[in-house]
Amino acid sequence: MAFTYRRVLTYFFRGLLFVVPIALTIYVITLVIQFLDGILPIPIPGLGILIMLAFVTFVGFLASIFITKPLFDLFERWVFKIPFINILYTSIKDLMSAFVGDKKKFNTPVIVKLSKDVSRLGFITQDNLNVLEEENLVAIYFPHSYNFSGNLFLVPRENVRILKNVRSTDVMKFIVSGGVSHLPNYE
């Protein structure tokens, strides 16, 4: 009798390992799509997202044209003069450019020695801190596991080792998963 209960319990947990990640992924994607589609109150499902994607692409096109680029620069200079808006706008813009801009920041994964027996994975975000009069320090971002936040530490250069045989996206996935995700071998 106990053998059957254990087997059923094993099957149940294996099913959970398969069903829960798929269900939560579909649920989160559905919520994001519904939220984005609901920003523009258009009665046709999906049309709001398509209009937003087209609009963002068009603005990106305009921002890169020689004629309209000065208008975007003028807008940014105006925004930089507004006290609270300046901090919010520049923080969001810097964060976005770290992922999708020309100045991507999370592309150099490193391992940092924190003590004799403890090291941590992170990403170099600033290699030169001369403006802080700290020539021997680099800025390392340490993402948190199972969260979209992290901490920034300034650490001695000699404690930092750049990881060469691993992609930064795989390191980020490994950190965010709490070390549970598999790091592929590229050799």
Side-chain angles (χ1 to χ4, degrees):
M1 205 74 146
F3 175 74
T4 307
Y5 288 128
R6 280 191 213 142
R7 182 172 281 184
V8 169
L9 206 56
T10 301
Y11 292 154
F12 175 75
F13 286 127
R14 282 186 187 159
L16 277 180
L17 286 174
F18 183 75
V19 171
V20 170
I22 290 174
L24 285 178
T25 301
I26 291 170
Y27 179 71
V28 168
I29 289 172
T30 303
L31 284 178
V32 168
I33 289 173
Q34 287 175 346
F35 171 76
L36 292 175
D37 201 31
I39 291 175
L40 296 176
I42 299 173
I44 302 170
L47 188 58
I49 293 176
L50 289 175
I51 291 172
M52 285 184 5
L53 289 174
F55 176 73
V56 169
T57 305
F58 182 67
V59 169
F61 170 72
L62 287 179
S64 61
I65 293 178
F66 177 71
I67 297 169
T68 55
K69 187 160 176 36
L71 293 174
F72 284 91
D73 293 340
L74 180 67
F75 171 76
E76 280 195 337
R77 277 184 268 151
W78 179 74
V79 168
F80 291 156
K81 292 179 182 178
I82 304 171
F84 178 71
I85 304 296
N86 174 11
I87 295 170
L88 186 64
Y89 177 80
T90 55
S91 298
I92 292 171
K93 183 173 181 180
D94 289 344
L95 181 65
M96 291 297 296
S97 67
F99 288 104
V100 296
D102 296 332
K103 306 174 193 173
K104 290 181 184 165
K105 294 290 184 182
F106 301 114
N107 57 357
T108 309
V110 296
I111 189 164
V112 178
K113 187 172 186 173
L114 299 177
S115 68
K116 180 183 173 202
D117 298 323
V118 177
S119 296
R120 208 165 163 186
L121 291 171
F123 298 90
I124 293 178
T125 56
Q126 293 288 329
D127 192 27
N128 185 339
L129 295 175
N130 290 340
V131 70
L132 299 176
E133 299 177 3
E134 295 292 346
E135 299 84 30
N136 296 328
L137 296 180
V138 294
I140 307 292
Y141 177 74
F142 296 108
H144 290 148
S145 299
Y146 294 105
N147 204 339
F148 292 104
S149 65
N151 294 316
L152 178 70
F153 289 89
L154 305 180
V155 298
R157 218 177 272 283
E158 63 266 9
N159 288 5
V160 177
R161 182 169 49 98
I162 295 176
L163 300 172
K164 304 228 186 248
N165 296 327
V166 63
R167 290 190 308 219
S168 57
T169 54
D170 292 330
V171 171
M172 181 67 86
K173 187 167 50 170
F174 183 76
I175 293 170
V176 170
S177 74
V180 176
S181 285
H182 175 72
L183 279 172
N185 188 358
Y186 299 108
E187 297 179 291

